Amino acid sequence: MIIADNLHKLKSKIPNHVTLVAVSKTKRNDLIMNAYDAGHRVFGENKIQEMLAKYNSLPKDIRWHMIGHVQRNKVKYIAPFVSLIHGVDSIKLINEINKHGIKNSRVIKCLLQVNISKEVSKFGISLNKIDELYDYSLSLENISIKGLMGMASYTNDKSIINSEFNSIGLKFNDINKIDPNFNILSIGMSGDYEVAINNGSNMVRIGSKIFGERKI
Ligand SMILES: *Cc1c(COP(=O)(O)O)cnc(C)c1O
């Protein structure tokens, strides 16, 4: 099976302490099951409805990561089961997630999405806003901010990617030193995961290198 082969190849290149999130967005259930049957359990989706449909029809021991933008009015759909929300970028969203954590009697784990690329992006907070959101989250009991997530610029220039990952890595280390529970740095995709790991990534989100190129 090509997907199982891809997974094994990738896992041999990734250190053990780095969690591999297999990004299955747009991919059919039977393809996800190829990875599942090869032993993989951590999958990432970027659309709430798609993740919900897959959660309902696939094995319940899959750990689902929401890696896309989360609209506040849709938090309720994933709050009962989501394993980690990578894209938290506002106090309002933190409050909404905490509210649904309370309703579901669970602590929902999240990452703050940081805008580290020079490209114009609607999503993610700047590096200097991290402390404010992190400090605020400490007052709430049903959300836990576990670390940072970022995406590098879409470029072949490895020095740009390296400096962007370096900036988020340094900030991550600062907080991790004070709070050992703040221990997830989600950086690195198919094209740049090696650079990310060199900058301290311990969670990579990889789609095309496992499932092949996406049409959309
Ligand atoms: C699609 C996506 C990925 C995976 O991208 P690949 O280049 O296919 O590995 C990772 N992170 C986010 C946020 C994504 O939307």
Side-chain angles (χ1 to χ4, degrees):
M1 276 322 279
I2 181 99
I3 289 175
D5 287 350
N6 289 346
L7 260 176
H8 288 136
K9 254 184 237 151
L10 203 52
K11 284 185 180 176
S12 72
K13 292 186 194 158
I14 293 175
N16 274 331
H17 73 278
V18 177
T19 302
L20 171 60
V21 179
V23 175
S24 50
K25 62 190 186 193
T26 79
K27 299 296 175 183
R28 297 188 315 262
N29 285 356
D30 60 305
L31 301 177
I32 297 175
M33 281 308 293
N34 287 343
Y36 182 92
D37 290 337
H40 202 73
R41 293 294 180 272
V42 185
F43 293 89
E45 291 285 334
N46 70 339
K47 294 208 168 69
I48 302 261
Q49 299 298 347
E50 186 176 343
M51 184 163 108
L52 188 57
K54 287 173 175 173
Y55 167 75
N56 282 324
S57 52
L58 288 165
K60 289 295 176 284
D61 62 341
I62 289 178
R63 298 192 290 281
W64 292 103
H65 286 216
M66 174 45 62
I67 62 170
H69 180 67
V70 179
Q71 285 171 280
R72 268 179 285 145
N73 61 359
K74 292 187 177 165
V75 171
K76 57 177 177 282
Y77 298 118
I78 58 170
F81 68 89
V82 68
S83 176
L84 186 67
I85 301 176
H86 290 231
V88 174
D89 62 358
S90 74
I91 299 266
K92 283 179 174 173
L93 183 55
I94 288 175
N95 283 332
E96 185 71 12
I97 292 169
N98 184 62
K99 186 175 102 188
H100 288 283
I102 294 169
K103 278 192 185 157
N104 288 279
S105 311
R106 62 189 296 248
V107 178
I108 301 179
K109 293 177 183 169
C110 298
L111 305 177
L112 294 176
Q113 181 171 352
V114 188
N115 186 357
I116 51 172
S117 86
K118 305 282 170 292
E119 290 159 3
V120 185
S121 165
K122 284 183 289 184
F123 304 123
I125 55 173
S126 58
L127 281 164
N128 61 22
K129 287 265 288 182
I130 293 172
D131 287 340
E132 182 189 332
L133 269 66
Y134 166 71
D135 289 344
Y136 177 76
S137 75
L138 295 177
S139 67
L140 306 175
E141 290 190 354
N142 292 75
I143 181 170
S144 174
I145 301 289
K146 296 286 298 171
L148 303 177
M149 179 271 219
M151 266 183 280
S153 296
Y154 189 73
T155 170
N156 289 325
D157 187 336
K158 289 272 191 280
S159 71
I160 293 178
I161 296 173
N162 192 64
S163 79
E164 291 172 355
F165 282 159
N166 184 255
S167 65
I168 191 172
L170 292 175
K171 183 66 197 173
F172 170 76
N173 285 342
D174 285 346
I175 304 180
N176 173 256
K177 263 184 234 145
I178 304 163
D179 176 3
N181 288 316
F182 189 93
N183 58 12
I184 301 177
L185 179 59
S186 168
I187 50 173
M189 316 191 348
S190 289
D192 57 20
Y193 70 91
E194 283 141 324
V195 185
I197 291 170
N198 286 338
N199 283 286
S201 172
N202 58 20
M203 185 173 280
V204 292
R205 312 174 309 270
I206 297 186
S208 23
K209 272 232 150 60
I210 298 170
F211 294 104
E213 298 295 326
R214 288 176 302 274
K215 291 189 193 73
I216 46 171

